[in-house]
Structure formats: structure tokens, C-alpha cells
Amino acid sequence: MENWDVRRVTPDDAGRMRALRLEMLADSPLAFLETLAQAAARSHESYRQRIRQSSEGPDTAQFIVDPGGPLIGHAGGTTVPGEPGCTVIFAVYLTPAHRGGKLLGQLVEAVADWSAAAGRDELMLEVVCGNERAVRAYEKLGFTDTGVRLPHPTVRVLTELQMRRRV
């Protein structure tokens, strides 16, 4: 069951990525940097262009869990300005029915492998403070809390904690 294809996106995934992005924002609105309304207003071509940019190269990548129908998971990675050896993991999401298994680890490892191939040996991510389930899940994958706390980028009353690990 959890042996599905975890792979880098391609431009052909744009329609299914748009559907997954809208689901992500509806399910977990505080976890992402845009609103459901903003994402819904973007054109299919906008999604396709973003996917095209993330489908190759060493600077930004998106990985998906593809069971052959609707996508059920996503994780992205991008470079960190001022930290050439670090990749930020972003927009991690699994559909509710697929949480708690091995898919999160498979997505994170896909980002880690891509990061290592690009010469970056550290991963960093941020989690909303109070989201203990996510913190525990990332700790199981080798991430540790750095002690750094940052204001949430869109909801200023919330705080995020930073976690890091070696690839």
C-alpha cells in the first residue's frame, strides 16, 4: 500500500498538483504561505510554470506521492540564501488518510537525496509551535529543534520552530 511512486514533479503533473495544492490549503491553512483563495485564483498555466521550474535543476524541487490517480503527498526543497550547504524543506503534506506511515519519510528522503546530489548536506524546516504531531514525526526522521523561534510568515500571532538535520 505505501509502496507508491515518490518522484520529482513533471509539467504533466500540473493539474493534479493544483488539486493537491487546493486540498493542502483547505486542510492545513496555517502551514502554507498562501491562502486557498489565492491558490484557487491562479491559472492552470501558472501552476504549470511553477511545476516546470521545480521539475529539474539544483535550486528548487518538488516531490510527490503518485499512486496513479489523485496525488496524496508533496514535499519541496529549495536553497537557503546565505547558506549554500542547506536546503529548506517546504510545503510538506500528506492527505489525512495517509498520515502516520512511511510516506513522510520517503518524501523527506527524496528531498535529502536531491539536496545531497546538489552538494548541500543539511536540511532545515519550520513547524508551527504547538504542532507536536509534526515535531514528533520530524524527530523520528532525525531532525532536531535548533532552539530558533521565528514569527509565522503570514499569521503574526503564531510562532514557528526551526528543525535541522544532516542529509
Side-chain angles (χ1 to χ4, degrees), residues 11 15 22 32 43 58 60 63 67 74 84 88 111 113-114 131 140 153 155 157:
L22 297 177
F32 307 106
S43 70
T60 301
F63 295 88
H74 175 274
V88 173
V111 176
D113 291 346
W114 165 80
N131 187 347
K140 288 178 184 176
V155 183
V157 296

Side-chain angles (χ1 to χ4, degrees), residues 24 31-32 74-76 88-94 99-101 103-109 111 123-128 131-145 160-166:
M24 293 163 68
F32 307 106
H74 175 274
V88 173
I89 295 178
F90 67 90
V92 178
Y93 180 79
L94 286 168
R99 294 176 186 160
L103 290 175
L104 175 64
Q106 291 173 326
L107 282 165
V108 168
E109 291 312 313
V111 176
L123 302 175
M124 187 267 287
L125 55 82
E126 295 164 357
V127 178
V128 173
N131 187 347
E132 294 306 317
R133 182 177 181 178
V135 170
R136 284 191 308 275
Y138 290 124
E139 286 174 341
K140 288 178 184 176
L141 297 176
F143 287 86
T144 57
D145 184 344
E160 293 187 320
L161 63 90
Q162 183 186 91
M163 302 181 83
R164 291 182 182 244
R165 79 160 228 210
R166 306 303 281 177

Side-chain angles (χ1 to χ4, degrees), residues 28-88:
S28 305
L30 297 179
F32 307 106
L33 299 181
E34 72 179 332
T35 67
L36 179 58
Q38 289 167 329
R42 281 195 289 124
S43 70
H44 181 75
E45 185 53 36
S46 170
Y47 278 91
R48 188 175 202 68
Q49 182 59 32
R50 184 177 287 186
I51 296 301
R52 187 176 296 114
Q53 292 169 348
S54 298
S55 67
E56 57 185 44
D59 296 330
T60 301
Q62 294 183 54
F63 295 88
I64 53 174
V65 181
D66 184 359
L71 301 176
I72 59 172
H74 175 274
T78 193
T79 57
V80 179
E83 287 192 63
C86 186
T87 292
V88 173

